[in-house]
Amino acid sequence: MYTLPKIEQFNQDVLSKYHIYNSVFITLPFDAIDNTGVLLPLFSEVCDTGFKNNWSPKQIVDFFADKYLDKATEDKKVDLMFRFIQYVERQIVLFDAIEDAAFSIINNLEGRGSLRDIKEKAEAKDKHAELVNFLDTFNVRTVLTAHPTQFYPGSVLGIITDLTEAIRQNDLLQIKQLLAQLGKTPFIKKEKPSPYDEAVSLIWYLENVFYQTIGDMMQYLQKNVFNGNIIENPIINLGFWPGGDRDGNPFVTPEITEKVANRLRTSILKCYYFDIRALKRKLTFNEVDTIIAGLEYRLYRSVFYSQGDIFITLDELSSELNVVRQIIINKHHSLYLDDVNLLLQKVNQFGFHFASLDIRQNSRIHNQVFDDIIAFLKTEKMAFFPDDFDAYSIDKKMDFISKLHFDLTQHTFENEITRATLDTIKLMREIQNKNGEKGCNRYIISNNESALNVIETFAMFRLLHWENPTVDIVPLFESVEDLQNAHEIMEQLYQNEAYRFHLNQRKQKQTIMLGFSDGTKDGGYLMANWSIFKAKETITEVSRKYGIKVIFFDGRGGPPARGGGKTHKFYASLGSTIENQEIQVTVQGQTISSNFGTLDSCRYNLENLLSAGVANEVFNKDENNLSSSDKYIIDKLATIGYQKYLDFKSHPKFIPYLEQMSTLKYYAKTNIGSRPSKRNTDEKLNFADLRAIPFVSAWSQLKQNVPGFFGVGTALKYFEDANQWDKVQTLYDDSLFFRTLLENSMMSLAKCFFPLTAYMKEDKEFGAFWQIIYDEFLETKRLLLKIARHKTLMENYPDGKASIDIREQIVMPLLAIQQYASSQIIEMKRTNMVNEKLVKVYEKLVTRSLFGNTNASRNSA
């Protein structure tokens, strides 16, 4: 049967269905919804015409009010705008659900990048044995984080899930009921969620999506690659940050961490219980029926009657299932063997931890804690400290600290941060005792600037009577400078005797986290990505020199500006100069729901990540290596782009523009995450303390997406002006890494819409600054189209571009409303004619419009 191209499938199964089901909204029995549903398309049309004619948002709103509203007062206009926002928010939910329902139709789940593709390619190239050997040690780890980029409350996410299934079944009655439910369900969270609330929200995905998807993937590999044998290596792993990520979040306490760890254990036991119940209906024959009944009873007590007590161990569960398996093989003709194998594989995958709870804290906090510890040891003369310790070199300090011996377990510090930090380390040991080592065995140090930061953290474990901690200490390098120095820092660590002994206990493995978000905020798009690539190369080189297997953990966000975009292509492009032991990546907010929110999308994206690792190591091991001339070109591009970005960032209007013209200050009012939007509590905006998510989101709301492209056009133009364009063109054609880098930047450009803010170019204070951004956008767009040989952005991803275009069309009224309200506030303040009541209303309009704009982009922050 003929398969339609992806864009035709999109038009048939997404666009046409959206238009059909969108019309259902107007028939719903809500007050004023019919009027809103009639007026909204008219307002959209005025927005479209107005932006094409360079109208300001105020001109658009005023024109619409004059033409379509009878004696429109400001109160009437505002009331209608709020109703428009509510209506559009629900249109976006509908579009999300329709896209999710059509995912398997538009994307070939058995095509390139799938497990089937891996298997068949290995067989065709006679590399089956090599594939098995690779999968025996390789791992993919997706780490779910609570970074606040998801604006849907849990109740709305539940509706999306049900609506997706109803659309898949074409159940019009159910669709109509769910749309009615959606109309009655609030989208706003009145209070900030606690870290535990965030954890519970993400555990829903573990229970309902990842558990089944990973189980199915492992069973496919078990049957088709490993000849039916249980796979000992848990190839797909899950990490978890809610409840463990302390960096800048004072609400994450040891009590919260313990509560989350207990919930993770209970959740996986509940999943096992329901699987055992299903097995009990099948395994009704002699011997196995009593074993299964016993397992069901003990799991039930552990889940539903437990006060933290567990009535079955992991070893007991695994060994008894293995007994059942053997009896079935020997005595019952292997009946339902696949079902037993699947559960055994899940038990091997998830243990009693489900997902590994990572602990993260900032090195600056650790410095304070360790100073507190040293002061105590010196004052109480509990340990010898030389008088000139502060004058020691870093190496000498590291050597001294790494050999410190004292038991702090019984001492209680007065300083709350010190007490909480040490209590968390103690708690990690308790979690391991209950959930297994994988329950909590990584401690990540944010803003890691030196080897001493790592040794201080390592020493804290040993000072708490944990001589050989079963924990990986993970430095996180984020800024451009830290990335450039990372290999030297790691070499210092590898040379430390105590730390080398620790690595020996950890099977000579060292995990290192690299942060894209703050790197882009710090150095711009090209330099951040290139700095991370170079850091991986130099760290790989020094690690191999010392016989250490380095594992890279990438802190990526959703959009290209934070390391997102076509992520799997980056991993497939790295070549043999970068260690490929594992693929570890953070997944957060919108990216969880959009890329991993359904069984189909989760499977597709996990398989693509695994396929990227296989392709890079088994099929194309040396093909993606960059030559020295390639590296010189990218280095030159990154340096030029970096300077352009630094000049832009140091512009005197940079911070004022973000403060006054963007939605940055409204982000904290949305109550979407437990974490504060910046690291300090000062009123004055300090760029260094600004978090990457609000920073990127502020540009996204303006539809300017600066962090995803600024400096790229200037860098490419250098080669054009120097008559060396052929060099970058050849690099683009031949290098998957470089091509992916620029294609992701194209995605950032495709989501820009400068007519929205074109009115700012007439602004006396910020007009020139706006023009700088727009000029760089135009230059970047021109040269990216030139190098890709395209006429339009994302020409080679027509379905992706169509999705972006429809989403942008849906939210255009919200964009206009947001800018209208924002410009009205600015105008009142500048003319000293502030109506406080009206300002509050406009501020609420701006804040409310944040939700729909962000949700529509799916990877905007």
Side-chain angles (χ1 to χ4, degrees), residues 786-813:
K786 178 179 179 179
I787 203 167
R789 303 182 182 90
H790 290 171
K791 292 182 180 179
T792 58
L793 294 168
M794 294 182 66
E795 192 175 296
N796 52 334
Y797 298 105
D799 56 312
K801 182 63 167 63
S803 176
I804 290 172
D805 289 345
I806 299 302
R807 289 174 178 277
E808 297 298 306
Q809 183 181 321
I810 293 171
V811 297
M812 189 180 288

Side-chain angles (χ1 to χ4, degrees), residues 243-262:
D245 183 9
R246 289 159 161 65
D247 183 14
N249 193 340
F251 308 112
V252 178
T253 63
E255 293 74 24
I256 288 288
T257 304
E258 183 176 24
K259 197 175 175 184
V260 170
N262 289 339

Side-chain angles (χ1 to χ4, degrees), residues 671-683:
N671 291 333
I672 61 163
S674 67
R675 196 167 67 163
S677 59
K678 57 182 183 176
R679 288 185 170 90
N680 65 6
T681 55
D682 297 345
E683 283 296 318

Side-chain angles (χ1 to χ4, degrees), residues 13-256:
D13 290 276
V14 177
L15 187 57
S16 61
K17 283 188 177 181
Y18 171 72
H19 289 312
I20 292 168
Y21 295 139
N22 186 40
S23 63
V24 174
F25 272 121
I26 301 176
T27 68
L28 297 176
F30 300 140
D31 294 339
I33 197 168
D34 54 343
N35 188 40
T36 307
V38 169
L39 290 174
L40 181 58
L42 298 174
F43 183 58
S44 295
E45 190 177 320
V46 171
C47 289
D48 186 52
T49 304
F51 286 131
K52 285 176 181 175
N53 292 324
N54 296 317
W55 290 3
S56 70
K58 186 178 186 310
Q59 288 174 304
I60 288 171
V61 171
D62 289 345
F63 177 86
F64 173 79
D66 290 342
K67 185 170 183 178
Y68 295 108
L69 302 182
D70 183 33
K71 297 178 181 178
T73 63
E74 192 62 21
D75 285 346
K76 278 187 178 180
K77 284 196 286 186
V78 165
D79 178 65
L80 183 59
M81 282 189 273
F82 275 117
R83 281 192 278 129
F84 281 164
I85 289 172
Q86 291 174 313
Y87 198 99
V88 171
E89 283 174 339
R90 285 151 180 81
Q91 286 181 310
I92 295 161
V93 169
L94 174 62
F95 191 78
D96 281 350
I98 292 170
E99 272 206 321
D100 287 344
F103 190 91
S104 62
I105 299 171
I106 295 171
N107 299 282
N108 184 0
L109 300 186
E110 305 296 336
R112 183 182 298 177
S114 67
L115 293 184
R116 177 179 172 180
D117 179 51
I118 293 171
K119 170 188 170 289
E120 292 179 350
K121 196 174 289 182
E123 290 172 349
K125 296 189 175 187
D126 197 24
K127 290 194 173 187
H128 182 267
E130 195 174 337
L131 174 62
V132 171
N133 288 336
F134 177 71
L135 293 176
D136 271 335
T137 57
F138 184 73
N139 288 278
V140 168
R141 183 193 290 242
T142 51
V143 181
L144 307 189
T145 79
H147 290 355
T149 62
Q150 175 58 267
F151 283 75
Y152 290 138
S155 54
V156 174
L157 287 171
I159 294 171
I160 292 177
T161 301
D162 295 341
L163 187 57
T164 299
E165 185 56 32
I167 290 168
R168 197 177 277 130
Q169 301 296 330
N170 285 316
D171 186 341
L172 187 58
L173 178 61
Q174 180 72 358
I175 290 167
K176 192 166 183 177
Q177 286 181 328
L178 287 164
L179 290 177
Q181 181 186 350
L182 192 65
K184 294 281 189 180
T185 303
F187 275 50
I188 307 302
K189 297 174 182 176
K190 294 181 179 178
E191 296 180 355
K192 275 182 172 290
S194 71
Y196 182 71
D197 295 331
E198 292 171 330
V200 170
S201 295
L202 291 192
I203 287 172
W204 184 91
Y205 290 100
L206 297 183
E207 293 177 349
N208 294 281
V209 183
F210 284 96
Y211 180 72
Q212 182 177 330
T213 302
I214 293 174
D216 290 345
M217 287 175 64
M218 293 302 293
Q219 188 174 49
Y220 179 91
L221 291 172
Q222 183 190 102
K223 293 174 70 173
N224 296 284
V225 178
F226 284 81
N227 299 319
N229 298 313
I230 299 295
I231 305 169
E232 295 302 321
N233 173 39
I235 298 168
I236 312 292
N237 295 279
L238 294 170
F240 205 74
W241 275 20
D245 183 9
R246 289 159 161 65
D247 183 14
N249 193 340
F251 308 112
V252 178
T253 63
E255 293 74 24
I256 288 288

